[in-house]
Amino acid sequence: MNFLELVTKRCSIRRFASTPVEIEKIEYILEAARLSPSAVNFQPWTFVVVQQEEGKQKLHDCYSREWFKSAPLYIIVCGHHDQSWKRGSDDKDFLDVDAAIAAEHICLAATELGLGTCWVCNFNAELCHRQFGLPDTTEPIAIIPIGYPEDSLMFEQTAKKRKGLSEIVKWEKYC
């Protein structure tokens, strides 16, 4: 599958089969995240893999949607503010950008392997921070549930609603 086919296939899956995800696939996904680019190559991230029932319950406390509970595996994408690059002109912290790139690498790698994912950002980050004993300078950025879709046809969706290129691309005009 070429890259455009992969990004077209990648979608948010909210119904997972109970089938466990093989360790080789988890490691492949984590390797894709590890290789993600980051500002100044600082790599200010940690990926917390949650598979055990106790950890899953902690995540369910942070985000209690019923569909979320069906995933057999979760990856919490965490960023370290003490390790992230800050732009010199305005001190903008690029942690969110770096973590988002890594999170999308996770989602694309999972899709390539026939697994479903869904970005979850609307969770109680403070509770997640406490539940997993994260250091003070570490922030949970996103939770990615991962698993086999309950229905393999979920990937065969209709065309995504996206703006056309003419709406989002502005070509530089030369004098």
Side-chain angles (χ1 to χ4, degrees):
M1 146 177 18
N2 70 39
F3 187 71
L4 285 179
E5 290 170 336
L6 179 63
V7 296
T8 300
K9 188 175 184 179
R10 189 235 154 305
C11 60
S12 294
I13 299 297
R14 292 184 178 88
R15 290 192 313 260
F16 297 97
S18 60
T19 309
V21 177
E22 300 86 349
I23 189 67
E24 298 81 18
K25 290 185 177 186
I26 298 168
E27 290 171 348
Y28 181 89
I29 291 165
L30 293 168
E31 182 66 5
R34 185 185 74 81
L35 294 172
S36 300
S38 62
V40 196
N41 197 30
F42 281 7
Q43 305 167 53
W45 47 55
T46 299
F47 308 106
V48 179
V49 180
V50 179
Q51 305 179 84
Q52 303 301 316
E53 287 308 313
E54 181 181 348
K56 288 179 181 183
Q57 186 54 56
K58 289 178 181 180
L59 284 179
H60 301 163
D61 292 344
C62 300
Y63 186 73
S64 61
R65 299 284 168 80
E66 200 58 40
W67 71 265
F68 184 72
K69 297 175 183 178
S70 70
L73 162 72
Y74 304 86
I75 296 177
I76 308 170
V77 178
C78 298
H80 307 288
H81 287 285
D82 59 336
Q83 297 175 21
S84 59
W85 182 73
K86 283 80 172 170
R87 184 168 48 204
S89 63
D90 61 1
D91 206 36
K92 178 188 176 4
D93 188 343
F94 274 75
L95 179 66
D96 284 347
V97 175
D98 293 343
I101 294 168
E104 189 58 12
H105 273 59
I106 288 168
C107 293
L108 289 171
T111 300
E112 179 190 21
L113 298 173
L115 297 165
T117 62
C118 184
W119 275 68
V120 175
C121 298
N122 185 24
F123 63 96
N124 185 330
E126 186 178 312
L127 178 59
C128 185
H129 188 274
R130 284 194 316 269
Q131 294 272 52
F132 289 91
L134 301 175
D136 289 344
T137 57
T138 300
E139 178 183 353
I141 304 293
I143 303 169
I144 312 292
I146 301 175
Y148 289 96
E150 186 178 84
D151 179 355
S152 62
L153 294 178
M154 289 180 174
F155 285 129
E156 308 301 325
Q157 60 184 7
T158 57
K160 295 180 180 182
K161 295 178 185 176
R162 297 290 192 259
K163 293 179 181 179
L165 285 177
S166 64
E167 296 177 82
I168 61 171
V169 176
K170 305 300 177 203
W171 293 92
E172 179 181 22
K173 295 189 182 193
Y174 296 96
C175 300

